[in-house]
Amino acid sequence: MISKRAKYAFKALRKLAEAYGTGPVMIAWLSEEERIPKKFLETILLDLRNHGILQSQKGKGGGYLLRVDPERVNLAQVLRIIDGPIAPTPCVSKNFYVKCDDCVDEETCSLRPIMERVRDANLAVYEHITLLDYVQGRVGKEVAVF
């Protein structure tokens, strides 16, 4: 399950992707438009800025805007920034691997292959949907998982 923070990040990024190339978007407008608490949204946008997805402009007419083309940002990148690992267990994480403390041997673990399939199924969706796809509504069932 993704966090509320991730849902808010996706909603805000959708609006920013729609406005791509038109200049900065004010936080107050984003907050109101998507019904996201302003302080909560500020921390989300700051995280995305610190990871190179967004840039900010100060002063009158300032706000946030995408630093990169929406076609070059996929949902997996955003989810990892906001929520961390996508994998259901730490032992199958591609970017945040940690050996499970209750596992004697990963090679004979009966649960690990299932968790790898769950991870791969999620990644097949998240990695193949860009912000541009999201904005254009191209998020259907065209991704083959198995």
Side-chain angles (χ1 to χ4, degrees):
M1 178 175 358
I2 67 170
S3 69
K4 183 174 271 192
R5 196 167 189 269
K7 283 177 70 175
Y8 286 163
F10 289 146
K11 288 180 175 191
L13 284 168
R14 180 182 171 99
K15 291 295 184 189
L16 292 168
E18 288 171 353
Y20 183 69
T22 65
V25 175
M26 292 180 7
I27 293 174
W29 181 83
L30 270 175
S31 172
E32 186 176 317
E33 189 74 12
E34 291 300 325
R35 297 182 181 168
I36 303 170
K38 188 176 175 194
K39 288 289 183 192
F40 198 28
L41 179 59
E42 287 173 351
T43 63
I44 293 167
L45 297 177
L46 186 61
D47 260 358
L48 293 169
R49 188 196 76 180
N50 290 341
H51 283 87
I53 303 288
L54 302 179
Q55 68 182 52
S56 60
Q57 288 184 353
K58 294 184 179 187
K60 185 173 175 149
Y64 279 89
L65 59 152
L66 284 174
R67 175 175 275 161
V68 294
D69 188 303
E71 196 168 18
R72 294 184 58 219
V73 179
N74 66 50
L75 299 186
Q77 292 169 287
V78 175
L79 201 51
R80 284 185 180 114
I81 291 167
I82 300 299
D83 280 354
I86 293 171
T89 57
C91 69
V92 298
S93 180
K94 289 187 174 191
N95 296 327
F96 301 92
Y97 171 86
V98 175
K99 186 180 184 313
C100 294
D101 58 3
D102 59 337
C103 190
V104 176
D105 179 19
E106 287 181 357
E107 297 304 315
T108 59
C109 177
S110 61
L111 190 57
R112 193 165 196 264
I114 297 167
M115 295 300 103
E116 286 175 332
R117 287 184 65 192
V118 170
R119 176 206 62 207
D120 292 346
N122 283 326
L123 286 175
V125 175
Y126 293 136
E127 288 181 338
H128 293 93
I129 298 176
T130 67
L131 291 181
L132 183 63
D133 296 328
Y134 184 33
V135 166
Q136 295 179 344
R138 296 186 314 221
V139 294
K141 298 178 182 182
E142 59 273 353
V143 177
V145 177
F146 299 99

